Amino acid sequence: VLVEPEIPQNCGNIARTCAATGSRLHLIRPLGFDISDRAVKRAGLDYWHLVQVQDYESLPDLFAQHPEAGEELWPDSWLFFGKETAGLPEWFRTAHRERCIRLPMRREARSLNLSNSVAILTYEALRQNGFPGLTGTGEMAE
C-alpha cells in the first residue's frame, strides 16, 4: 500500500516489483502522478498489465473496503509505505505501532529510496512465507 505517493518513477519501480512477485498494488490518493491508461502507456510501463492496481480516496476508504488490512496478519500481509517527503501519517504509525518495522541504516544517510524499501520488505515477507507462487527458474536456481 502506497499512501499518497508523489514520485512517478518510484511507483513505476514498485509496480515492477509487484509484477515480478505477484503482489497487489494499492494506491491511496492524492497521487503525485497520473495512472490513467494513456499516461501508463506514454511512460512505457510494459509490465503494468501484470499488476493488480487499486486506488482509494483515503486510508479509511481502504480499511472500509478491506477490513482485513487492519488486522494482525503476517501471512497474506499488508505492507504500508508513506509518501516520499513525509512517511506514513503519525496517527497511522501510532495506531499500528506494534506492526511498524524500521530498516536500520546510518544516521547520515537519512533514508532509503521508497522503491528500495518496498523491495526489501516485500521479498522478506515472501521469504518468510516460502515465496508462494514464485518459481526458482534460471540457470542459478538449482
Side-chain angles (χ1 to χ4, degrees):
V1 179
L2 302 183
V3 180
E4 301 179 7
E6 300 167 314
I7 301 174
Q9 294 86 346
N10 281 338
C11 188
N13 289 336
I14 292 164
R16 184 178 291 274
T17 297
C18 290
T21 61
S23 301
R24 293 184 183 136
L25 179 58
H26 301 270
L27 302 172
I28 308 299
R29 294 184 177 276
L31 308 178
F33 45 85
D34 183 3
I35 58 168
S36 68
D37 289 340
R38 183 175 171 211
V40 168
K41 183 177 269 188
R42 186 173 57 241
L45 301 178
D46 59 348
Y47 49 83
W48 194 258
H49 70 283
L50 298 174
V51 184
Q52 290 180 301
V53 180
Q54 188 169 358
D55 63 303
Y56 307 85
E57 291 303 316
S58 64
L59 275 168
D61 181 28
L62 175 131
F63 288 121
Q65 293 184 48
H66 297 282
E68 71 277 12
E71 298 173 8
E72 279 292 327
L73 300 175
W74 289 107
D76 299 323
S77 59
W78 291 73
L79 302 175
F80 289 82
F81 299 88
K83 63 181 166 183
E84 293 88 341
T85 58
L88 288 166
E90 185 176 356
W91 70 262
F92 182 88
R93 292 187 318 242
T94 300
H96 302 282
R97 185 171 183 82
E98 71 287 348
R99 292 176 60 190
C100 290
I101 298 170
R102 181 183 174 279
L103 293 174
M105 64 191 80
R106 295 174 53 190
R107 183 181 310 274
E108 303 84 19
R110 190 174 50 88
S111 66
L112 285 174
N113 177 277
L114 178 61
S115 62
N116 291 339
S117 298
V118 170
I120 290 167
L121 291 174
T122 298
Y123 272 93
E124 177 56 18
L126 289 167
R127 185 195 67 78
Q128 288 183 23
N129 287 287
F131 296 106
L134 301 181
T135 61
T137 59
E139 64 183 61
M140 299 295 291
E142 298 176 10

